[in-house]
Amino acid sequence: MISRRTLLAAAAGATLPLAAPGVLRAQARDLRLGIITPPGHPWNNAALKVAEVLKEKTGGKLTMTVFHAGQLGNEGAMMQQLQTGALDMAFLQAAEVGNRVPNVAAILAPYVIRSTEAAAKLVRQPIAMQMLEPLPKETGTLGLGWGITSIRVVFSAKEIDGIAGLNGMKLRINTTPAFRDFYSLLGAAPTPIPTPQVYDAMANGQVDGLEADLDFSWNQRFDKVSKVLMRMDAVFMPFIALASGKAWQTLSAEDRALITAATKEALAVQVDQTVTNAPKLLKDFEGTGIKIVVPPTADAAPIIAEYDKIWAPKAPILPELRKIGATLG
């Protein structure tokens, strides 16, 4: 396994011992980036921006092809391709990386942040990059930075007035254990449904509710199959821009620096745009006439205590993450 020191040195532009020195950019090279979201999604736009900058800065010698909508497989498959060097880069959800590195999953804990604005601030804190330091050793990848989604909301097909309404609800969730444990503590029955089938599952009563970020929810128009939108202000799903450790070593220091800078710039724009768009999306939902419920903040305290009994031993960074999150508004 590639060591963290080796990859971090590469990120800083140091010269690496290469198995084949001739692979450094002497001719045109097309990088491959995988992503599960469809064309037009904010994450995809960020990936395409990286590709645009690389082509412009190198006069077309270094380009990037973005494989949208899981064309290369699901996130687990893309992680494996990163590890073998078959894939150069990927934008993967923190859930996928957190399955392998529990400290990364800590960012998914409920009530670490309470708003999209706070989520944006959190991924820009030094602790966010600190959480990615074990990736070279644990996954053979290098974390170049974070992107975000808006804070997630819950849609319900039945009338609910607060968190208690989730008790007994068949709730479609992201399958990550971090979310599963949270919603289980609330009494819900977490139900995994493939993303393309979520709308129909709500429409035909296969599930009573679902949780998702605002962008995806508006694109899918979940308000049309729901009576209530509950603003949990509890969890969000960031993503990580990952580079393959094996592929990284075949790049020159100049190219590594260029890719890192282009990625960080594109992610910064994506984060800012997500913050700007979140209130607009909420207004769009308000305009549909759907009932919007905002549970009292005090309801969160018992859940935080129970959740941390489960997750603090697995993700020791969680208490520090909570302290920092509490300062972000």
Side-chain angles (χ1 to χ4, degrees):
M1 181 68 71
I2 299 166
S3 72
R4 177 173 68 88
R5 180 176 297 176
T6 298
L7 282 182
L8 292 180
T15 301
L16 290 174
L18 301 173
V23 299
L24 295 182
R25 195 204 331 149
Q27 56 187 357
R29 176 168 176 176
D30 184 54
L31 303 175
R32 293 158 49 89
L33 184 147
I35 194 167
I36 61 166
T37 47
H41 189 280
W43 296 7
N44 296 69
N45 295 340
L48 291 173
K49 183 61 179 179
V50 176
E52 177 187 326
V53 170
L54 294 182
K55 183 177 181 179
E56 177 185 342
K57 295 288 187 181
T58 64
K61 290 184 179 179
L62 187 62
T63 59
M64 176 183 288
T65 299
V66 178
F67 292 88
H68 305 277
Q71 292 175 354
L72 302 179
N74 61 23
E75 290 193 319
M78 284 190 277
M79 176 61 85
Q80 291 178 347
Q81 293 167 46
L82 289 170
Q83 291 170 329
T84 64
L87 184 62
D88 300 295
M89 290 184 65
F91 286 2
L92 299 187
Q93 295 179 97
E96 179 62 36
V97 182
N99 289 341
R100 295 165 170 79
V101 185
N103 260 352
V104 172
I107 205 167
L108 305 176
Y111 304 110
V112 167
I113 50 91
R114 306 291 181 108
S115 67
T116 303
E117 293 88 346
K121 294 175 184 177
L122 181 62
V123 299
R124 287 168 167 158
Q125 298 294 309
I127 194 172
M129 292 306 295
Q130 178 187 337
M131 293 166 70
L132 303 183
E133 289 180 1
L135 297 191
K137 179 180 179 181
E138 299 295 333
T139 70
T141 66
L142 182 71
L144 301 183
W146 294 84
I148 67 170
T149 59
S150 56
I151 201 162
R152 297 170 82 87
V153 297
V154 168
F155 288 87
S156 174
K158 61 180 182 180
E159 290 287 346
I160 59 173
D161 293 315
I163 289 177
L166 298 179
N167 189 35
M169 179 183 289
K170 289 179 63 178
L171 184 71
R172 189 274 179 181
I173 68 164
N174 180 288
T175 57
T176 180
F179 283 7
R180 180 199 63 207
D181 290 345
F182 171 47
Y183 287 108
S184 293
L185 286 171
L186 295 174
T191 307
I193 302 284
T195 298
Q197 301 173 24
V198 174
Y199 185 95
D200 288 342
M202 277 286 284
N204 63 28
Q206 186 177 353
V207 291
D208 305 312
L210 61 91
E211 61 87 41
D213 64 84
L214 291 171
D215 296 275
F216 180 67
S217 299
W218 182 252
N219 289 337
Q220 297 293 306
R221 294 307 303 270
F222 291 141
D223 56 289
K224 294 183 178 294
V225 289
S226 306
K227 293 182 178 179
V228 175
L229 182 161
M230 182 160 63
R231 292 181 53 186
M232 295 285 288
D233 293 339
V235 293
F236 76 119
M237 179 61 76
F239 70 92
I240 304 167
L242 297 172
S244 163
K246 288 188 175 181
W248 199 249
Q249 290 185 93
T250 68
L251 294 164
S252 68
E254 178 186 6
D255 285 347
R256 292 193 295 259
L258 177 58
I259 293 166
T260 300
T263 301
K264 289 183 178 296
E265 181 179 345
L267 293 178
V269 171
Q270 187 274 328
V271 169
D272 288 341
Q273 289 179 340
T274 300
V275 172
T276 299
N277 289 338
K280 296 178 182 177
L281 289 167
L282 283 172
K283 284 192 175 296
D284 287 338
F285 279 117
E286 290 173 2
T288 69
I290 191 172
K291 179 180 177 182
I292 297 180
V293 171
V294 183
T297 302
D299 290 351
I303 299 301
I304 293 172
E306 290 302 313
Y307 186 92
D308 286 7
K309 287 180 184 177
I310 301 170
W311 273 91
K314 294 190 287 186
I317 204 168
L318 180 54
E320 183 181 358
L321 203 62
R322 286 204 182 281
K323 289 179 182 178
I324 293 172
T327 69
L328 302 179

